[in-house]
Amino acid sequence: MRKLFTVSSLLLSILLLFSFISCSSKPLALPSAQKGVLDLRSWDFSSQPILDLSGEWFYYPRSLFEDLPSSSVETFYVVPNTWSGDGYAVVKLKILMPDHPKRFAIYSKWQSTAFRLFVNGKVVAGSGIPGKTKETSVPDNSSIYYEWDSSGGESEIIFEISNFHHRMGGFWYNIQFGEAGALSKEIQSLRDWDFFLAGIFFLAGSYHLWIFFLRRIDRAPLVFALFCFVIFVRIFVTEDKFVQLYFPLSYRLSMCLEYVTMYAAMPLGMHFLRHTFPDYFPRKLILFFYAISFVFSLSLLLPFPFPTYAVPYFQGTFFLAVAVAIYVIFRALLHGAPYSIPITFAFFSLICAGTFDVLSAHQLIFTRFIIPVGLLIAIFNQAFILSSKHRDLYLEKEKLSERLMRLNDTYSRFVPLSFLEFLGKDKLEDMRPGDQIKKEMTILFADIRSFTEISESIDSKESFELLNSYISEMEPVIQSNRGFVDKYFGDAIMALFSDTDDAVSAAISMQNRILEYNLRRIEKGERAIRVGIGIHTGSLMMGIVGSGERMESTVISDAVHLASKLETLNKYYGSNILISEDTLKKLKDANRFILRRLDRLRFKGKTENLNIHEIGDYLSTTEKEAFRNSRVNFERGVDLFHAGRYLDAGESFREALRIYSGDRGANLYLKRCMEQIYPSSGKVQPGPDLA
């Protein structure tokens, strides 16, 4: 904001300097006409090659060139100057030229409203056709330029001028005279400057129009674009009226364009101010300014000169607009509205430039119209504001992006991104209740053994710390094996895998990680934990359930229940990893894993018995070797047990225990065999609870 303040101050200073330089106050050394004569015989054209032919000219009212009397009472007319209403006249100036030969030139903008130029008694240029009545006068608003050679003596300059199509006639602008080369260069430089300004306004308008098309919800760029295009057209139809050089227009059309752009510019400028500070600019006021401009525009339907009489009254509304703008800006400054300081400087430059131009239009001062310069400063100021807004928006975007990333990261912890991929969704916001897909996947359930007992021995904070630390250890292992966690059920983890081998590998890695985790817990004096894992492969439904207010990902399938039941059976068999027969069949190479058939069970809801298998890859090297070597005896014992040959089965399990003494599964089966052979008075336990 401080940089914008500095830049705006600099631009405003440039405007004031330009206004001061543009003022027609001439240095005292410049010559002026006295009683119809301008003496330039001793004038040094090398130091000041261009002069204004201002001062007292011979004046012949109600006369044209052919009516000039040979002798009459001399009256004088100060140029530039105007008269009110209709009229026609001839003004004449004698210039005493330097003695040395030189090429001179004269230049005049359009004068109200038709004139012809005579040099040394010869008509050399003109704009329109002067006449004594409205019917014989043809108005025009073209500028004229003429060069001639002089070797000294006198040069007689005569203007024949008439007005029947404007509220004010006479000489609106200074007539410039000087060395032809310098004057031609001066005129061209002013035209280049106006073309430069027009180009700036056209580009600024196009740029803001493009911004509006990109984001139509904000109409401020559209209003500013229309404002710039209006000023672009106005530059070509005011002052030197360059449009006449390329597209000669009728007097009426040219004046209508000049007035329409004036009537349109004021409400558009105020409209932009309202869009900038909507809280401080009542909507009814902007409608009032548009209504005023529309009413004045209707005057253009009348024949000229009637539309010209409305202009001073409209210029009065300019000062009303200035008062409103000052009020709005003051309130914005008072409340610390964003960008209020640079916008204040922009509008102040417009107010200064507009005031100068109104005064110049009434011949109270003589300057070039500098409103384009004020507008140029406003455009540069707007460019700085836009760049500042873009910077702020970029910073805000970065903050929002960072926050969005955090939110997405947080949401992804609740709804795994892999879950989205399976549903064919790229983003969380694309998810809707009812999105679902049917897919065959492998489900892994993991649960901490005796967690309730452990949690009762510690406080709630320590319970949550245990859970979080345990999950932090398990989740990376699951993800590294291309799986993802779908749910947390207290101390239980449910993970999904597309590849069955990945699920089994993840289970083995999880048990290995638990061993490392327990070592750290024991070192800290904490209790070691055991984790049971159950794995089953089957068809399931993945989808989103909930309402528009709250949604959740879920998996629906009997396979989920079976995997959960396998995890629970670990406690009964004393195992750590159990897989179903369906999972075993889906393994690409079952021989790469150390496993054995543990039992054949009929689960609730199933019509057939299902084999379950125990994985032993997580065991120590010695235990793995014993696990592998005892497999044949163990599986033979399982078959004999289910055949009802409990004595033979008991012998097989004893043989397995001689090879692998720490086999909890063999010990369990041996106990069950003994219960079948020597039943006690109590009820014999037939096997695990499969409810």
Side-chain angles (χ1 to χ4, degrees):
M1 186 64 72
R2 184 174 297 176
K3 290 183 178 179
L4 282 175
F5 180 87
T6 304
V7 171
S8 301
S9 302
L10 178 61
L11 293 176
L12 184 61
S13 302
I14 294 173
L15 172 69
L16 296 175
L17 179 62
F18 189 93
S19 305
F20 178 77
I21 295 174
S22 299
C23 186
S24 63
S25 300
K26 304 295 188 296
L28 295 177
L30 291 178
S32 63
Q34 302 291 330
K35 296 187 182 300
V37 178
L38 179 62
D39 188 355
L40 299 178
R41 288 174 296 183
S42 59
W43 182 254
D44 183 11
F45 279 92
S46 61
S47 60
Q48 183 68 35
I50 302 173
L51 301 170
D52 289 337
L53 298 183
S54 58
E56 298 174 337
W57 289 47
F58 290 110
Y59 180 52
Y60 306 96
R62 303 190 63 79
S63 299
L64 295 180
F65 183 78
E66 60 269 18
D67 303 327
L68 285 180
S70 56
S71 62
S72 64
V73 178
E74 293 182 342
T75 58
F76 301 98
Y77 182 85
V78 177
V79 175
N81 204 349
T82 59
W83 67 73
S84 297
D86 300 342
Y88 58 96
V90 172
V91 293
K92 181 175 68 175
L93 178 67
K94 291 182 180 179
I95 303 177
L96 304 181
M97 308 294 283
D99 293 334
H100 48 278
K102 193 177 290 290
R103 188 167 182 82
F104 290 96
I106 188 170
Y107 173 73
S108 174
K109 300 176 186 177
W110 70 282
Q111 309 287 359
S112 183
T113 55
F115 69 92
R116 287 192 297 174
L117 169 65
F118 296 81
V119 176
N120 297 326
K122 177 183 176 182
V123 60
V124 295
S127 175
I129 301 175
K132 295 182 180 180
T133 65
K134 187 174 183 178
E135 290 72 25
T136 59
S137 175
V138 178
D140 195 10
N141 44 26
S142 301
S143 57
I144 59 104
Y145 176 82
Y146 176 70
E147 296 182 2
W148 76 96
D149 294 315
S150 174
S151 57
E154 291 185 2
S155 287
E156 185 181 66
I157 307 297
I158 295 177
F159 274 88
E160 178 188 63
I161 187 168
S162 70
N163 172 59
F164 295 96
H165 298 83
H166 200 280
R167 76 180 190 279
M168 297 179 67
F171 291 88
W172 284 63
Y173 305 101
N174 276 313
I175 302 165
Q176 291 184 297
F177 169 80
E179 290 185 349
L183 183 55
S184 176
K185 184 177 180 181
E186 172 78 5
I187 295 170
Q188 188 59 47
S189 65
L190 291 174
R191 289 178 179 175
D192 291 343
W193 171 248
D194 283 344
F195 276 117
F196 168 75
L197 289 177
I200 291 293
F201 288 117
F202 182 80
L203 291 176
S206 301
Y207 174 72
H208 282 80
L209 191 62
W210 178 249
I211 291 178
F212 168 72
F213 284 132
L214 291 177
R215 189 172 179 268
R216 299 191 181 189
I217 193 173
D218 182 10
R219 295 186 179 180
L222 174 62
V223 175
F224 194 79
L226 294 176
F227 181 74
C228 289
F229 287 137
V230 166
I231 301 304
F232 166 76
V233 174
R234 185 166 176 78
I235 288 175
F236 286 97
V237 296
T238 55
E239 284 284 331
D240 296 276
K241 294 187 179 290
F242 294 138
V243 68
Q244 299 286 47
L245 299 176
Y246 307 100
F247 307 101
L249 304 176
S250 66
Y251 175 81
R252 179 178 179 83
L253 180 57
S254 175
M255 293 301 294
C256 283
L257 285 174
E258 178 180 347
Y259 289 172
V260 162
T261 54
M262 176 178 64
Y263 294 146
M266 189 265 288
L268 285 173
M270 297 301 288
H271 198 172
F272 178 70
L273 182 63
R274 184 184 182 276
H275 273 292
T276 306
F277 302 122
D279 296 334
Y280 314 112
F281 200 130
R283 184 173 181 270
K284 291 182 179 179
L285 270 181
I286 193 61
L287 295 177
F288 167 77
F289 284 117
Y290 274 114
I292 288 291
S293 295
F294 176 73
V295 170
F296 276 99
S297 297
L298 294 178
S299 68
L300 298 176
L301 300 176
L302 302 173
F304 278 83
F306 295 107
T308 66
Y309 287 97
V311 172
Y313 299 100
F314 181 78
Q315 290 171 340
T317 65
F318 167 79
F319 294 103
L320 174 62
V322 167
V324 172
I326 292 175
Y327 168 76
V328 171
I329 291 173
F330 176 76
R331 289 192 64 194
L333 286 171
L334 195 63
H335 291 84
Y339 312 107
S340 56
I341 294 178
I343 290 175
T344 299
F345 279 98
F347 269 85
F348 189 58
S349 66
L350 290 176
I351 291 170
C352 290
T355 302
F356 269 90
D357 285 0
V358 170
L359 296 176
S360 177
H362 288 274
Q363 282 76 48
L364 297 177
I365 60 174
F366 294 96
T367 67
R368 281 186 64 85
F369 286 157
I370 62 171
I371 190 67
V373 181
L375 291 168
L376 180 63
I377 292 175
I379 283 181
F380 282 132
N381 201 76
Q382 175 69 1
F384 281 112
I385 292 173
L386 279 177
S387 63
S388 181
K389 284 184 176 180
H390 289 165
R391 178 204 62 197
D392 294 341
L393 287 174
Y394 180 77
L395 294 175
E396 184 66 20
K397 179 184 175 182
E398 284 188 329
K399 292 179 181 177
L400 289 175
S401 296
E402 184 180 351
R403 183 170 180 267
L404 185 60
M405 289 176 65
R406 290 198 303 267
L407 284 174
N408 283 337
D409 183 58
T410 302
Y411 290 151
S412 66
R413 298 172 190 173
F414 292 93
V415 181
L417 296 179
S418 299
F419 200 99
L420 298 181
E421 294 174 3
F422 284 119
L423 292 177
K425 304 294 183 181
D426 296 326
K427 296 175 288 186
L428 285 166
E429 56 266 31
D430 294 336
M431 296 173 61
R432 295 291 182 271
D435 291 339
Q436 52 80 31
I437 188 173
K438 188 174 183 180
K439 191 175 180 65
E440 184 177 83
M441 299 193 74
T442 299
I443 305 135
L444 181 151
F445 258 91
D447 185 67
I448 300 177
R449 288 284 157 262
S450 305
F451 179 75
T452 303
E453 180 185 335
I454 296 173
S455 62
E456 288 176 352
S457 64
I458 56 179
D459 59 31
S460 58
K461 180 181 178 182
E462 291 174 329
S463 296
F464 274 95
E465 288 176 350
L466 169 59
L467 278 177
N468 289 328
S469 64
Y470 158 69
I471 290 171
S472 299
E473 295 287 338
M474 296 298 100
E475 187 174 8
V477 176
I478 294 170
Q479 291 175 347
S480 65
N481 285 277
R482 292 174 290 279
F484 66 92
V485 175
D486 176 63
K487 288 284 188 302
Y488 294 112
F489 302 96
D491 60 313
I493 298 174
M494 174 179 166
L496 300 177
F497 295 82
S498 296
D499 187 276
T500 305
D501 291 70
D502 289 338
V504 176
S505 297
I508 296 168
S509 299
M510 290 169 69
Q511 291 294 352
N512 290 330
R513 181 65 65 87
I514 287 296
L515 294 175
E516 299 172 2
Y517 178 64
N518 281 332
L519 289 176
R520 295 197 300 271
R521 287 183 60 82
I522 292 171
E523 288 177 357
K524 290 190 274 186
E526 296 172 339
R527 180 176 173 177
I529 63 173
R530 288 189 63 197
V531 174
I533 299 174
I535 302 174
H536 176 61
T537 303
S539 180
L540 51 79
M541 292 288 293
M542 303 173 60
I544 305 297
V545 295
S547 64
E549 298 298 323
R550 187 177 186 276
M551 298 183 297
E552 186 178 55
S553 63
T554 190
V555 175
I556 302 173
S557 174
D558 182 57
V560 176
H561 172 73
L562 205 150
S564 174
K565 199 62 185 176
L566 286 173
E567 179 275 318
T568 306
L569 287 174
N570 282 291
K571 185 175 183 180
Y572 176 78
Y573 290 104
S575 57
N576 288 330
I577 303 175
L578 293 180
I579 67 173
S580 68
E581 183 73 18
D582 292 332
T583 298
L584 178 67
K585 292 177 180 178
K586 292 293 182 179
L587 292 174
K588 297 183 181 68
D589 182 13
N591 294 325
R592 61 183 284 239
F593 300 105
I594 302 173
L595 52 82
R596 68 184 181 186
R597 181 160 43 85
L598 182 62
D599 206 342
R600 184 168 69 251
L601 304 172
R602 177 172 294 180
F603 291 89
K604 186 176 181 180
K606 299 293 182 180
T607 58
E608 297 179 356
N609 292 335
L610 300 177
N611 289 324
I612 62 173
H613 303 264
E614 181 182 5
I615 301 293
D617 292 78
Y618 64 91
L619 299 171
S620 65
T621 304
T622 304
E623 286 183 307
K624 278 193 289 187
E625 186 65 25
F627 187 92
R628 185 185 293 111
N629 294 336
S630 66
R631 174 181 176 180
V632 174
N633 292 310
F634 184 88
E635 291 183 350
R636 183 172 63 248
V638 172
D639 291 336
L640 292 170
F641 181 85
H642 286 287
R645 297 168 58 184
Y646 302 113
L647 286 173
D648 295 335
E651 287 300 321
S652 295
F653 289 124
R654 289 189 184 91
E655 186 63 30
L657 283 168
R658 280 193 287 270
I659 300 172
Y660 179 22
S661 59
D663 191 342
R664 293 191 183 94
N667 273 319
L668 174 64
Y669 268 109
L670 187 58
K671 181 180 178 181
R672 290 175 65 186
C673 288
M674 296 304 294
E675 288 177 346
Q676 295 294 336
I677 297 170
Y678 307 109
S680 62
S681 58
K683 185 178 178 181
V684 176
Q685 176 63 36
D689 180 15
L690 301 180

